[in-house]
Amino acid sequence: MNILVLNCGSSTVKFQIIQSDPERLENGSERRLASGLLERIGSQALITFKAEGQTPHKSTAPLKDHRAAIDKILRWIVSPEARIESIRALSDLDAVGHRVVHGGEKFQKSVRIDKNVLAGIEDCIELAPLHNPANLKGIRACQDLLGEGVPQVAVFDTAFHSTLPETAYLYGLPYHLYLRHRIRRYGFHGTSHRYIAFKYGQMMGLEPKDVNIVSLHLGNGCSACAIKNGRSIDTTMGFTPLEGLIMGTRAGDVDPSIVDFLHSKEGLSIGEIDTMLNKQSGLLGVSGLTSDMRELEEEEAHNQDRRARLAIDLFCRRVQKYVGSYLAIMNGADAVVFTGGIGQNSDVVRQRVCANMDWLGLKLDDQKNRTLPRGEGGDISAADSRVKILALPTDEELMIAQDTVRCVAGSTRG
Ligand code: AMP
């Protein structure tokens, strides 16, 4: 089956076309036929298309909305320039899998999209006002452009965390606020954490129920997830993706009283404080330089910038605290797995997160950590580390493609 995997953000659309054999799911038989990224939708968009085995092709074009962007993708897919052997016409696309950010409590796994599912995703807009509307635009555009005959599947970022126990998902707030407004912790990055659990299990020859790991997704957005018996039992992001770890521009955990204090001291509105916490804090806010970890590492190494170092240290300490607390609530784990742009590529961050954790059973092999080829995964723990340490590339698109095949082919697995 040829699956179009779509990830629609507020002004971006990312896609991959993945060819998957329904009989051999999970055997690594998938092929990436093409991928691409369309940025700055709404104005002169930057477009990158790449077909398997070819060099990326970059261009610009005015794209007024998500529909125009998806139309552009579909035209390219079947064009002679793309030269995708298995796709000559749009009818060669068998299904579309969408990343949908928020599924609330309603969607606990991936589902085939129908009227009820659309209404359910709409109902979650108030929980994810920036993300779900863009996801819906992508779904509606595909319905228009491909017709109702092409099945579409929604894969939710929150679904993997639907197994959180009440003790993990409730805040210490008046209980009626949960009942009245659905205020609770949902968690995000679920598809990435699920992939890491799947991949780790595959690498170690384990059944999903035997996977006990702490997964660390460290990218622009960051979250940790305690995975026990293959299920998410705690995670750092909460009601929104703001909670938990320090991120590129998000503050992560802060004392909520700061909001009122800032309001009176700086005269900022609630909306302005929300923007500050989400867009001007984290690595950017602390360093005053950039939200980009690679740039911070360069500043620290070449210019001995004190605040660049401070930002990295704060970032690593927060991760370390959560690793410790997750190992405590899990009664230990078999491995800590780093992923995301930072987790997968930054030996500096991995080294600082794992420093002084030998009492908890984590011992990094410095040589393996430093020489792990960028973009490739592997075991970086010392031979006598009781808890394994790995760095693995994540692959949310693969999970979305596999779920899409399962939902469409009606398989009961997953
Ligand atoms: P993501 O959101 O997963 O794409 O991750 C983006 C983050 O990964 C940015 O902060 C990048 O600076 C960081 N990153 C990517 N490559 C490296 C690298 N080689 N060393 C350190 N950080 C990196």
Side-chain angles (χ1 to χ4, degrees):
M1 292 174 78
N2 296 320
I3 311 295
L4 172 62
V5 175
L6 275 180
N7 181 351
C8 296
S10 54
S11 65
T12 60
V13 176
K14 270 196 246 175
F15 75 94
Q16 284 193 12
I17 302 172
I18 299 184
Q19 190 170 63
S20 180
D21 177 353
E23 301 302 319
R24 299 178 58 218
L25 271 187
E26 300 182 9
N27 286 351
S29 60
E30 286 83 3
R31 263 180 70 190
R32 316 280 158 148
L33 301 181
S35 62
L37 170 64
L38 294 83
E39 299 165 278
R40 292 199 209 153
I41 293 164
S43 60
Q44 189 71 6
L46 305 175
I47 302 167
T48 310
F49 286 145
K50 184 184 177 316
E52 190 184 27
Q54 295 178 36
T55 49
H57 178 264
K58 290 183 187 289
S59 63
T60 60
L63 295 176
K64 71 175 171 24
D65 54 20
H66 288 74
R67 190 183 189 285
I70 292 171
D71 188 46
K72 184 90 183 165
I73 295 171
L74 296 177
R75 286 174 195 276
W76 175 76
I77 289 172
V78 294
S79 70
E81 302 95 77
R83 282 179 285 143
I84 306 174
E85 232 173 73
S86 330
I87 300 185
R88 301 270 178 219
L90 288 181
S91 53
D92 293 324
L93 281 179
D94 296 294
V96 186
H98 294 267
R99 173 189 182 218
V100 178
V101 168
H102 217 308
E105 290 190 326
K106 186 178 173 82
F107 297 109
Q108 308 205 339
K109 55 182 183 175
S110 303
V111 284
R112 191 160 163 171
I113 296 170
D114 59 17
K115 268 195 193 132
N116 289 334
V117 171
L118 275 177
I121 298 172
E122 269 173 16
D123 185 44
C124 292
I125 287 179
E126 67 169 359
L127 299 173
L130 296 180
H131 295 103
N132 274 29
N135 305 151
L136 279 165
K137 281 181 197 162
I139 295 169
R140 295 213 171 92
C142 288
Q143 284 177 333
D144 273 4
L145 295 164
L146 292 169
E148 299 281 340
V150 177
Q152 300 196 58
V153 168
V155 179
F156 300 92
D157 253 25
T158 46
F160 184 59
H161 304 299
S162 66
T163 49
L164 293 185
E166 260 183 327
T167 43
Y169 74 66
L170 283 179
Y171 289 108
L173 290 170
Y175 189 74
H176 70 266
L177 294 177
Y178 164 58
L179 298 177
R180 207 184 286 167
H181 301 297
R182 300 185 281 182
I183 296 177
R184 50 159 282 177
R185 310 182 64 256
Y186 291 95
F188 299 86
H189 285 152
T191 311
S192 174
H193 292 302
R194 180 158 66 102
Y195 172 79
I196 291 299
F198 158 75
K199 186 70 192 174
Y200 177 81
Q202 200 179 48
M203 285 170 75
M204 300 295 156
L206 298 171
E207 290 292 314
K209 68 171 176 39
D210 295 324
V211 171
N212 294 303
I213 61 172
V214 177
S215 166
L216 300 172
H217 181 111
L218 310 179
N220 280 320
C222 300
S223 70
C225 182
I227 302 173
K228 187 160 175 134
N229 302 126
R231 294 149 78 98
S232 169
I233 63 156
D234 212 336
T235 191
T236 53
M237 285 178 167
F239 181 62
T240 73
L242 179 56
E243 193 181 342
L245 303 179
I246 289 174
M247 313 182 206
T249 62
R250 294 189 193 120
D253 296 337
V254 290
D255 182 337
S257 304
I258 292 171
V259 175
D260 187 57
F261 191 78
L262 267 181
H263 171 62
S264 61
K265 285 282 178 194
E266 299 251 331
L268 297 175
S269 70
I270 300 290
E272 285 167 335
I273 298 170
D274 190 63
T275 303
M276 187 208 75
L277 291 171
N278 277 289
K279 299 220 159 38
Q280 295 147 14
S281 300
L283 295 175
L284 172 66
V286 176
S287 70
L289 288 173
T290 173
S291 63
D292 191 287
M293 183 57 87
R294 196 172 5 191
E295 291 175 10
L296 286 175
E297 287 181 11
E298 279 163 17
E299 281 299 323
E300 186 193 13
H302 300 129
N303 302 326
Q304 287 77 46
D305 189 280
R306 192 188 86 83
R307 278 180 44 200
R309 179 176 184 101
L310 188 61
I312 301 171
D313 284 348
L314 239 80
F315 178 97
C316 293
R317 187 183 167 101
R318 182 74 57 85
V319 178
Q320 205 175 36
K321 275 167 73 169
Y322 272 107
V323 171
S325 65
Y326 284 178
L327 290 175
I329 59 163
M330 294 170 77
N331 194 15
D334 297 327
V336 170
V337 187
F338 287 85
T339 193
I342 298 171
Q344 191 193 320
N345 296 304
S346 172
D347 53 296
V348 171
V349 167
R350 294 191 302 251
Q351 191 272 327
R352 289 189 201 171
V353 168
C354 297
N356 297 321
M357 300 269 270
D358 45 337
W359 185 81
L360 275 175
L362 269 84
K363 235 165 128 183
L364 199 65
D365 182 317
D366 284 329
Q367 168 79 2
K368 281 190 199 159
N369 181 43
R370 272 199 309 275
T371 54
L372 184 75
R374 293 214 192 284
E376 275 182 43
D379 188 335
I380 50 175
S381 36
D384 59 345
S385 185
R386 274 186 288 120
V387 178
K388 279 190 194 306
I389 309 166
L390 286 92
L392 298 175
T394 193
D395 195 347
E396 290 157 285
E397 290 80 7
L398 180 73
M399 291 281 99
I400 296 174
Q402 288 185 350
D403 279 10
T404 303
V405 171
R406 282 188 199 106
C407 288
V408 169
S411 163
T412 53
R413 281 184 300 169

